[in-house]
Every structure is written in C-alpha cells, then in structure tokens.
Amino acid sequence: MDGPEFFDQGDLVAVLTTQPLGRALDYRAPEGGCHRGAFVEVPLGPRKVLGVVWGAGQGDYDLSKIRSVIRVLDAAPMREEMRSFLARAAAYTLTPMPAMLRLATRAPGLGDPPSMRRVYRRGVSEPERMTDARRRVLATLQDYGDLSFTLKELAEMAGVTASVVKGLVAQGAVAEEESPRDLPFPRLDPELPGKALTADQAAGAEVLAEAVRSQSYGTTLLRGVTGSGKTEVYLEAVAATLRMGRQALVLLPEIALTEQFLHRVEERFGAKPAEWHSGATMTERRRIWRMVGQGHAQLVIGARSALFLPFQNLGLIVVDEEHDTSYKQEDGVLYHARDMAVLRASICGAQVVLASATPSLETWANVEAGKYRRLELTSRFGPAVMPQMGAIDMRDEGLPSDRWVSPTLQGEVNKRLEKGEQAMLFINRRGYAPVTLCRACGHQIGCDHCDARMVEHRFLKRLICHQCGESKPMPETCPSCGAEGRLAPVGPGVERLGEEAAALWPDARVAVLSSDMYGSARALKAEIAGIAAGAADIIIGTQLVAKGHNFPNLTLVGVIDADLGLMGSDLRAAERTFQLMRQVAGRAGRAEAPGAALLQTYQPDHPVIRAILAGDEEAFWSAEAKERHQAGVPPYGRMAGIILSGPDVAQVFDAGNLLAQRDAPLRRIGAQVFGPAPAPIARVRGRHRVRLLVKAEKSAPLQEALAQWVAQVKLKGELRLAVDIDPQSFY
C-alpha cells in the first residue's frame, strides 16, 4: 500500500476501528509516533476503542477538531499482507471493513499489559525438617533442572497437596516467582521420525514438501479414500514448512476432531501445537493471538476463524475435510473458509492443501480446469480395506411405524456384537423427535420466534428450536386445545434411535453422539476418545461422527434414513448426500477387521444411492458437473443470495420488491433476479425473512453490480440486508 510506513507525532493517520462506521477516521499520531498497521486505542465520542493505523489521514475534516491517538498497544503491527487480505476479502464478500477487522482481533485484552501467574522453582535453602512429601517435591524440581511449574502442576507431579509446596516456600527451599502467562509454545521438531509411509503416501508427501520449499503459492487437492492416511501425508508438508522456518495452519471442521489430531501431531513433532476454536478459554485465545503474531506458535490447529490470526510468516494452510459445510460462515460476515484460505495463501506466497475423500464440486472443477494440482491416495493405510457397501430396501422390511432399525440391520449388528466389534447407527437429526404433534387436534408445537418446529430433546426434558436456540419445558397439555396426555413425538432423532437401540440390545453399551448433548468441547472430545478406546459397543450419531474420526474396532455402519438429504430443492442436495454417505461409510473397517456399510432406503434405484453403492466417484462428479454446467449454476456460474429481514413483514417485502424493480445494475452485466419470496424459514428470532436470488455468468463482475444495486435501498429502522456471495444453503 502507498504512503509512509512510519508517522511522526502529530502526523495525520487514518485509523480503521472495529466500530460500524464504514470508513477509517483521522487522528493525530501520538507521542513517539506510530507505524502503519499499529494497533492503537483511540477516542470515539466518550469511549475508547480499538483500531489499526491503516495509512495517512485524509485531512478532509476540521483539523482543529482532530484528536490524538491515545496510545499504541503492545502488539506486533498488522502486516501489510494481512491488511491486503482483509481488504480483498471484504471486497469479495461485500462486507464492511470494520466487520472484517473484528474477525482479525477476536482475542480479549489486546491492549492490556502482560498478565502474570505464580510459578515455583528450586530455592537456595534446605528445609529444617525433611518429610517424604517434601522430599518428593524437591526431587521433582531436581529432575527437571531449572524449569518452573504452577502450584497445581508441581503438587500433582510430586503427588502432594498444595500446602506442602507452600511450606517449602516459607522455608526458602522452593522459590515463588511471577511469570508472564503469554509464553511461547513449545518448539516442534520436524526431524522426529514420522510413521512409515506407503509408496503412494511417500510420493504424495514429497510432492507437497517440494511445493512448500518453493515458497510460492499453489493449491493441491489431496484426495484419498477414507482411511488412506491423508493426515500423515500432509503432516510431512507441515514438517517441510517448519524446516523452512515458516508457520503452518491446519483447519478442521469440528472441534471434536481436534483431540485425536493433537495426539497425532504430538507423536510426530514431540509437542502440542496451538489450538484455536470456540472451546478455547479467553486466556488461551489471547496467548495464541500474541504468539502467532510474534512467530512463537509454529503450528495452529483451528476452526475457520483461525484464518484471521496475525501469522508472521505463513507457509502452509491445510483445509482438512474441505467439502464440509461447516466451513461456510452463515451469520455475521458470510465467507467460505476454503475460498478465504486460497486467497490468504495467494497473498503471502503459501501453499494450500485441500484434503478430502469426497471433494466439493467447486474444488473438483478447479482441478479439472488446471487451477489446482491433484494428488491421489488409492488404498487404505496398512491392512485396512474399503468397506463393502449395500442397500436395505425398506419397502420389503415391514417395519412398524414406531421403529426405525430394520430386521436386516438388526441381524447385522447382532453379528458384530457376538464378535466383540463395534457398530454405528447414523441419522442426521439431532434431538429425540423432529416434530411434537397433538393427537387430539393435530397441532404441531412451533417456536414462538421462528417459523420452525421445535425439536424434543428428551435428555434435557425440553423443546429446542434449532434455528434460534429458544428452548422451553416439554408441556403437559397441548398449547392449542389443552388436551392432556395427547402430545406425541413424530419421526426419529438421534436420542430416540438411542432409546430403540437400548431396547433392542439391552446388554450392549450404547453411546449417543450429538454436538448439543455435551456441555463443553472438552467433554465431547473425551467421549469420542473413550469410544475409540472401546468404551461403547453401539454408537448412535449425527453427522458429527462422519468427520474424520478413527474408531479402530468399528466394522459396521448402518445409515437409518439414507433418503433424508435427497428431499427439497437445494442444488447441492445430491452432492451433499453423496459426500455424507461415503464419509459415514468410511468410518467402518479402518483396522484389520473388514467393514460393511448398509444404507436403509426407500429409493434404492435413485441415481445418488446407486452412485454411492457403486463407488464410482468420478462418474458421479462428471454427471453432477454436467447438470450444473447446463443450468449455469455454481461452480459454472455465479450466484448471490440477498436476505432482507425485519420485524414488519410488509416493510421487508416492500424493500424486496423495490430491489427487484430497480435491477438495472444487474441487467447491465446479464444477471437475473429471482424473487422476492419468503425464505424457506420465513421467521427467525421474531424477524421476518425475504430472499432474492441473483444468477450471473461465471465471468460477470458480480460484486460491483451488487454493490450498486443494493445501495439503491436505504435501510430504515430495524430493516437489515445481508449479501451472501456463493450461498451454500438457502434456508
């Protein structure tokens, strides 16, 4: 960016704040001056707010009223590549810059002085009286040389109470000191031996390592069947990155995946990396943010928001399970982490690895077009082989209306239990039942704030709205007609399936896995680790279980309702069903015992079900690509969703109709506008929602036209407008 890199005291500087103002504000540089990119505290009205020095001030304001920057924060200045990334991401997603800056400053207390904690090390004196407990404390400190520990760490390692350590402090045998909390992360050693690789793994690892050594941008699809060892291959790319003295980022789609992955990283590099996600404490987040910016965190394992950490020298981004829908941020700033990873890497000269057994059609199309390199792993690691796939035609099973496990599937589970193996039953519905119906009047209990049915969660004894999170106790009487004892659950959820499994197999240990059943990320990770170690015989799970978990003793996967994702008009329905079924099936047979996957379906002849069973992925992608190409929809066309919302439905529709009428900016680029129409879920959190859909050719300058188009509507009162570039869902 043009302009000086340092501003002397009194110079005009433009400061971008995290406040929703739409532009940078002019201030005067503080005493001692400041660098471009410096994190600063500035006055805004009566408040003090966080900002970043974005460049030289404009001077288009009464100079006598311009105030000074209060102070420069003790944080590494934002690098030019990061400022460029935020600006380009904002332009692509049509997001105001202050909202982008908030993504890049999601750590508390950035302006606070370093926080301290008490640590304990060997003192200079000997205790007046030696006891066995005291001897253990001193021996522990002697074993670790000059290292210091927190009170809890030292007491646990020595097997004593905290009072023993405190007693030694009083006698000078142990020294108590203040130490900064925000310490560098342990160094990772890329020279430690990794797992022995197969020939195609080793070849793939070398290709990725060579790309990293080039210190230039490139994107590679690492595609391999489930269980083929993609993780071991890209960890070698991480090792190559560390050898170059650069930082690496591995994105995972689910917090629950991190525990197994962290153990694999620790085995490979001798220490744990930084871990960034919503389950991290505020203290941990601040430490990671600071250490990443100072180059003292070599590797970060994180959720999609880790893309906005202030990396000092980023050389590699891995997007694991790149097809996963959770990489799309659906509220606030609407972005796709896979696309933003490619953008960030292109700016800082880093490599991107997109790893998946079932890649997204967008990635597949970029490979076909020659934009991305492709690496294939064709066989499972070690003795494991791909599971046998089969369909259970539910039309022939004769199940009663309150049962969901077919006799055929029940028989297959019995066989696994007799052998001491694990079985998994999969259904992509959280809660106990998706609908609660009054058998007296037919009323279905809905959310008071959304046009959505409330889902019964029997473990919590509550009804929960999966759109807004509203919950209320399960009523005793029908809220419509007042009838007692007539409310009935309709359809199965994961909890109800767990209840059925407990009745069918009373002697088996049944574990129900769903993201909303655990109070914290740590509790969920602990449960998954226990299952992997053999603590359950039957696993009941939602799509959470489809994401990269390794259960060595699991040999059967039964999909309860394989047709569920084929309903509706979502253009990605076939793709998502195909990916989910293949991923779930891939959980079976990942060790020595062969596995099987059985799909319960009422449509065994559906093209998607047949493609899943045949395993001919290239044929599926080619057919899906042909259909999308003919329709001119992503990835062979451009789409944008416009979501208008507000408490007054008439006002929302008026704004939508006004936009539809004033579509000249879009017609100039050959784009079409569809709508306005009520969103499929027309009310969320008390706000009525109306959608418009814009469709354009692949080469059309869509963002510029959209910006001109939506600028014609002035938002009044509580009316809100959101633009979703490349929408992934249409709810």
Side-chain angles (χ1 to χ4, degrees):
M1 296 181 182
D2 297 331
E5 288 300 311
F6 185 82
F7 300 92
D8 291 315
Q9 180 178 349
D11 287 351
L12 280 184
V13 293
V15 176
L16 180 68
T17 73
T18 56
Q19 306 305 302
L21 302 172
R23 65 186 183 90
L25 303 175
D26 280 4
Y27 290 90
R28 292 198 180 278
E31 183 180 351
C34 57
H35 285 88
R36 183 195 291 262
F39 288 89
V40 294
E41 187 176 74
V42 294
L44 186 64
R47 295 175 297 153
K48 299 175 182 178
V49 299
L50 174 72
V52 173
V53 177
W54 215 252
Q58 297 296 308
D60 56 355
Y61 186 70
D62 184 348
L63 296 183
S64 66
K65 294 183 178 179
I66 293 178
R67 296 195 275 179
S68 288
V69 170
I70 297 170
R71 64 187 178 113
V72 177
L73 305 187
D74 182 21
M78 181 180 284
R79 297 167 60 84
E80 194 277 331
E81 66 187 37
M82 184 65 171
R83 301 197 301 276
S84 175
F85 170 57
L86 294 179
R88 289 175 62 179
Y92 185 84
T93 60
L94 295 181
T95 301
M97 280 300 296
M100 297 304 304
L101 184 59
R102 282 197 294 275
L103 285 179
T105 52
R106 291 179 62 179
L110 295 183
D112 296 346
S115 78
M116 308 295 282
R117 63 177 178 177
R118 288 179 179 172
V119 295
Y120 299 82
R121 65 173 75 248
R122 184 68 167 94
V124 294
S125 306
E126 292 295 326
E128 296 172 3
R129 184 174 60 85
M130 186 65 76
T131 65
D132 184 54
R134 289 179 170 181
R135 191 176 291 108
R136 290 203 302 274
V137 172
L138 299 179
T140 299
L141 290 172
Q142 186 173 351
D143 289 345
Y144 285 91
D146 199 36
L147 290 181
S148 57
F149 303 93
T150 65
L151 181 61
K152 182 181 178 183
E153 288 170 341
L154 182 54
E156 286 182 353
M157 292 171 68
V160 301
T161 62
S163 61
V164 175
V165 178
K166 287 287 191 179
L168 288 168
V169 170
Q171 297 192 22
V174 171
E176 183 181 77
E177 301 170 354
E178 294 287 317
S179 172
R181 283 185 184 275
D182 297 338
L183 296 173
F185 284 85
R187 300 293 294 176
L188 306 182
D189 185 357
E191 304 307 330
L192 290 176
K195 288 185 178 179
L197 303 181
T198 63
D200 62 341
Q201 283 179 320
E206 181 51 37
V207 169
L208 294 180
E210 187 59 37
V212 167
R213 289 193 287 268
S214 74
Q215 299 200 59
S216 60
Y217 162 71
T219 297
T220 303
L221 167 63
L222 177 60
R223 180 174 172 270
V225 297
T226 52
S228 58
K230 293 182 291 295
T231 303
E232 305 306 330
V233 172
Y234 70 64
L235 283 182
E236 293 310 305
V238 171
T241 307
L242 301 184
R243 291 188 190 103
M244 300 294 294
R246 303 187 77 181
Q247 293 166 298
L249 167 64
V250 177
L251 298 180
L252 299 177
E254 186 69 51
I255 293 173
L257 292 178
T258 56
E259 199 61 32
Q260 287 184 356
F261 187 81
L262 288 170
H263 287 312
R264 293 168 84 168
V265 170
E266 192 171 11
E267 285 177 8
R268 176 63 185 84
F269 299 115
K272 281 192 175 182
E275 187 182 352
W276 177 274
H277 51 66
S278 59
T281 66
M282 291 294 104
T283 302
E284 288 168 336
R285 291 170 79 88
R286 192 183 92 149
R287 177 193 178 199
I288 293 168
W289 194 93
R290 285 184 171 277
M291 293 304 109
V292 165
Q294 295 172 22
H296 295 316
Q298 299 162 283
L299 172 61
V300 177
I301 312 302
R304 59 182 178 237
S305 60
L307 272 171
F308 296 91
L309 286 170
F311 288 96
Q312 186 188 65
N313 188 5
L314 186 59
L316 175 69
I317 304 175
V318 177
V319 185
D320 202 0
E321 310 288 354
E322 66 86 26
H323 64 278
D324 198 279
T325 55
S326 64
Y327 283 124
K328 178 64 187 277
Q329 172 89 8
E330 295 282 11
D331 53 29
V333 179
L334 306 179
Y335 69 92
H336 200 297
R338 178 193 62 229
D339 301 337
M340 292 301 107
V342 171
L343 173 61
R344 178 139 199 204
S346 69
I347 293 171
C348 64
Q351 288 289 315
V352 180
V353 176
L354 305 177
S356 176
T358 54
S360 62
L361 190 59
E362 280 79 2
T363 296
W364 187 89
N366 279 324
V367 169
E368 293 294 298
K371 294 180 181 178
Y372 297 170
R373 182 196 287 117
R374 176 170 172 165
L375 284 178
E376 292 275 353
L377 301 177
T378 55
S379 59
R380 283 195 151 183
F381 186 75
V385 295
M386 287 300 292
Q388 286 187 312
M389 303 287 293
I392 299 173
D393 189 340
M394 296 300 286
R395 296 170 300 183
D396 301 332
E397 290 292 314
L399 262 185
S401 61
D402 61 344
R403 286 271 307 279
W404 288 275
V405 178
S406 65
T408 301
L409 181 56
Q410 183 182 351
E412 292 299 320
V413 172
N414 289 340
K415 292 177 186 176
R416 269 58 185 192
L417 296 180
E418 288 168 6
K419 295 180 186 175
E421 298 168 354
Q422 287 176 320
M424 176 188 289
L425 302 180
F426 171 84
I427 185 165
N428 201 20
R429 273 203 189 112
R430 291 179 291 153
Y432 184 82
V435 176
T436 299
L437 175 81
C438 175
R439 296 204 184 278
C441 70
H443 175 73
Q444 298 179 16
I445 298 183
C447 178
D448 297 331
H449 310 289
C450 306
D451 285 346
R453 300 290 166 261
M454 297 198 84
V455 178
E456 181 183 351
H457 284 245
R458 191 156 289 190
F459 291 173
L460 299 175
K461 299 188 172 93
R462 298 185 76 80
L463 291 169
I464 296 178
C465 173
H466 286 176
Q467 296 304 320
C468 70
E470 176 72 17
S471 74
K472 55 189 175 186
M474 188 72 192
E476 298 290 330
T477 61
C478 172
S480 178
C481 70
E484 289 189 32
R486 300 303 301 275
L487 293 174
V490 178
V494 67
E495 294 175 14
R496 196 171 192 183
L497 189 59
E499 200 175 82
E500 182 176 341
L504 288 173
W505 298 284
D507 297 327
R509 297 167 298 166
V510 177
V512 180
L513 273 185
S514 180
S515 57
D516 51 14
M517 291 176 61
Y518 295 88
S520 68
R522 283 181 172 81
L524 178 57
K525 289 191 287 189
E527 180 71 10
I528 288 170
I531 291 170
D537 303 310
I538 297 173
I539 306 153
I540 315 289
T542 61
Q543 71 174 16
L544 170 74
V545 301
K547 301 179 181 182
H549 301 297
N550 184 24
F551 301 128
N553 201 34
L554 180 67
T555 58
L556 174 69
V557 169
V559 178
I560 297 303
D561 190 352
D563 307 328
L564 191 59
L566 299 174
M567 304 172 190
S569 56
D570 186 349
L571 68 89
R572 293 182 173 84
E575 175 187 0
R576 285 178 177 158
T577 300
F578 182 82
Q579 289 166 336
L580 187 57
M581 295 301 106
R582 296 290 296 175
Q583 289 283 338
V584 172
R587 298 310 108 206
R590 294 171 73 97
E592 295 185 13
L598 297 174
L599 279 59
Q600 293 191 163
T601 174
Y602 288 91
Q603 306 176 68
D605 295 324
H606 191 289
V608 176
I609 300 296
R610 282 169 34 199
I612 294 166
L613 297 174
D616 190 349
E617 298 189 9
E618 288 302 315
F620 173 79
W621 294 127
S622 297
E624 187 70 7
K626 185 178 179 182
E627 279 190 28
R628 299 257 196 106
H629 206 286
Q630 289 173 345
V633 296
Y636 303 102
R638 303 288 310 279
M639 289 184 96
I642 311 299
I643 305 99
L644 287 153
S645 68
D648 184 340
V649 65
Q651 184 189 30
V652 178
F653 259 106
D654 286 346
N657 285 320
L658 187 64
L659 272 176
Q661 292 161 13
R662 298 182 179 179
D663 64 344
L666 297 173
R667 279 189 280 110
R668 281 196 289 270
I669 65 166
Q672 295 174 275
V673 180
F674 301 93
I681 301 174
R683 192 169 57 103
V684 174
R685 298 183 181 92
R687 297 179 66 83
H688 297 276
R689 304 170 71 250
V690 166
R691 289 190 66 106
L692 296 97
L693 196 62
V694 178
K695 181 182 168 192
E697 292 186 359
K698 182 80 170 174
S699 57
L702 185 58
Q703 275 85 347
E704 184 180 344
L706 283 171
Q708 294 173 11
W709 180 50
V710 300
Q712 299 175 105
V713 174
K714 301 303 178 191
L715 302 178
K716 297 178 181 178
E718 294 192 56
L719 189 64
R720 301 285 181 269
L721 183 150
V723 180
D724 187 1
I725 303 292
D726 308 324
Q728 295 291 304
S729 64
F730 297 89
Y731 80 94

